Amino acid sequence: MKTTVLIYSAIIFLCLSCKQADEATTQDMMVYAAKADEGYAEAVDTAAVAADGAYDSDTKVEAASLKMAPKEKEEPIETKIIKSGNLTFQTDDLDETFNQIQSAVKKYKAQIKNDSQMNNDYRLSRSINIRVPNQYFDALIAEISKGVKYFDVKDISSQDVTEEYIDVESRIKTKKVLEQRYLELLKKANKVSEMLEIEGQLSEIREEIEAKEGRLRYLQNKVSMSTLDITFYKPIAQGQKATVSYGGRIGNAIVSGFNGISNFFIDLLGNWPVIVTLVVLILLIRKRFKRKNKKDVIENQEP
């Protein structure tokens, strides 16, 4: 009996000893794991700090390089302005005023594109169309305005075509790049159908380029050379006729009458379908009345 108790006691003691050893081992493993976690966290933090430092240094270097890099200068956009003007004023001497305008035209390198005179019973007048370089437009107006007491009409206008000018230029460049690509495709094409299709596309592109280049040349001409229309006149005193003689006026009246008759007949010829229709209707109605009258005469002659 005693021996059995001792055996059981030894077994229980061994079990308790193993349990304590397992707990101690578990605690040691937990402590080791905790220390390992702390070491890993410290390593991660160290790496993060190093990475942040490296990022900051890279950022600073990049910022410094951007600061030191020279900025590209933006090319200023040249404004494209079309200027035009219309002047009408009275003068005491037409020839003197015309000579003054001619002197101003030569001085500012302008050109007289049109010159016309008109005389009637009330006044003598002269109209001139001038093209002048854009930079001299205002100076020319100031030169011509010298000695003018007042203007019946003074209309100066400016049209900004910068946006359209840039748009047309960019479209031409784009179309030319597209043209070069089609030319490269044409060199590589092997089939006749492909060549014909590419040539058709090239033809359309070239037509568009020519149209845009024509518009660009028009804008360039209008921008570089401004337009100025000038009309100056001299009134004729009441009872004093123009320099046209009495015989000349009769001749002008005869010519005007002849022109009026000619225009009348030309208008008639232009309406010939209506005239032919009316003539046919008149003939039919007249023929019908003749038959009716002849029938009435025959009936009256019968007993």
Side-chain angles (χ1 to χ4, degrees):
M1 183 72 179
K2 291 181 181 179
T3 304
T4 304
V5 171
L6 289 172
I7 292 170
Y8 280 115
S9 298
I11 291 170
I12 292 170
F13 178 76
L14 290 172
C15 290
L16 290 174
S17 298
C18 291
K19 186 176 181 181
Q20 289 178 357
D22 291 339
E23 289 179 355
T25 304
T26 304
Q27 288 178 357
D28 292 339
M29 290 177 67
M30 291 177 64
V31 170
Y32 178 77
K35 290 181 178 180
D37 291 338
E38 289 177 0
Y40 176 76
E42 289 178 0
V44 170
D45 291 340
T46 304
V49 170
D52 290 340
Y55 176 77
D56 291 340
S57 64
D58 291 342
T59 305
K60 290 178 181 178
V61 171
E62 185 178 358
S65 63
L66 288 174
K67 187 175 181 180
M68 294 174 64
K71 295 183 179 180
E72 294 183 359
K73 294 182 179 180
E74 295 182 357
E75 295 183 0
I77 299 175
E78 184 181 356
T79 306
K80 305 294 183 181
I81 304 293
I82 297 177
K83 295 181 180 180
S84 61
N86 185 16
L87 305 177
T88 302
F89 57 90
Q90 179 178 332
T91 181
D92 296 330
D93 192 332
L94 295 177
D95 293 334
E96 183 180 350
T97 301
F98 179 72
N99 292 334
Q100 179 184 349
I101 293 173
Q102 270 192 324
S103 299
V105 166
K106 291 179 181 179
K107 180 178 180 180
Y108 295 108
K109 302 177 182 179
Q111 301 174 359
I112 296 178
K113 306 301 292 186
N114 189 25
D115 182 6
S116 61
Q117 300 184 38
M118 185 178 67
N119 301 331
N120 54 36
D121 294 340
Y122 306 100
R123 70 179 190 179
L124 308 176
S125 63
R126 191 165 187 171
S127 298
I128 301 173
N129 176 264
I130 299 174
R131 300 294 305 281
V132 57
N134 195 355
Q135 64 270 26
Y136 299 135
F137 179 76
D138 296 330
L140 178 65
I141 292 177
E143 187 76 18
I144 294 173
S145 300
K146 292 180 180 179
V148 178
K149 297 178 181 178
Y150 67 91
F151 288 94
D152 297 335
V153 176
K154 187 175 184 179
D155 183 16
I156 309 298
S157 62
S158 299
Q159 182 184 0
D160 190 347
V161 294
T162 307
E163 183 177 356
E164 182 183 0
Y165 191 93
I166 294 173
D167 179 67
V168 173
E169 271 190 332
S170 63
R171 287 178 184 272
I172 291 174
K173 292 178 181 178
T174 303
K175 292 294 181 182
K176 286 186 175 181
V177 171
L178 187 60
E179 182 187 15
Q180 289 300 320
R181 290 180 180 176
Y182 272 106
L183 289 173
E184 292 174 1
L185 289 175
L186 185 61
K187 293 178 182 178
K188 298 177 182 179
N190 296 322
K191 297 180 181 180
V192 176
S193 58
E194 293 177 352
M195 293 180 181
L196 292 175
E197 185 177 357
I198 294 173
E199 286 177 354
Q201 295 292 334
L202 279 172
S203 178
E204 292 180 2
I205 292 171
R206 284 166 180 165
E207 287 179 2
E208 293 177 3
I209 290 175
E210 289 176 0
K212 294 298 181 183
E213 287 178 340
R215 179 62 181 173
L216 188 65
R217 285 193 296 269
Y218 171 80
L219 291 175
Q220 288 173 342
N221 180 264
K222 285 292 185 180
V223 169
S224 61
M225 298 291 288
S226 301
T227 304
L228 182 62
D229 292 313
I230 304 173
T231 299
F232 51 99
Y233 65 93
K234 178 182 178 181
I236 296 176
Q238 188 175 4
Q240 181 182 7
K241 298 297 181 182
T243 56
V244 181
S245 64
Y246 184 74
R249 294 175 64 192
I250 292 175
N252 291 335
I254 293 173
V255 172
S256 299
F258 179 76
N259 291 334
I261 294 172
S262 300
N263 293 331
F264 174 75
F265 282 110
I266 290 171
D267 292 336
L268 286 179
L269 290 175
N271 297 320
W272 67 266
V274 178
I275 297 172
V276 171
T277 303
L278 290 174
V279 171
V280 170
L281 288 175
I282 293 171
L283 292 175
L284 290 174
I285 293 171
R286 185 178 178 185
K287 188 175 181 180
R288 186 174 180 181
F289 274 109
K290 283 184 176 181
R291 288 180 179 178
K292 187 177 180 181
N293 293 333
K294 188 176 181 180
K295 187 178 180 181
D296 293 338
V297 170
I298 292 173
E299 289 178 354
N300 293 330
Q301 290 178 356
E302 291 180 356

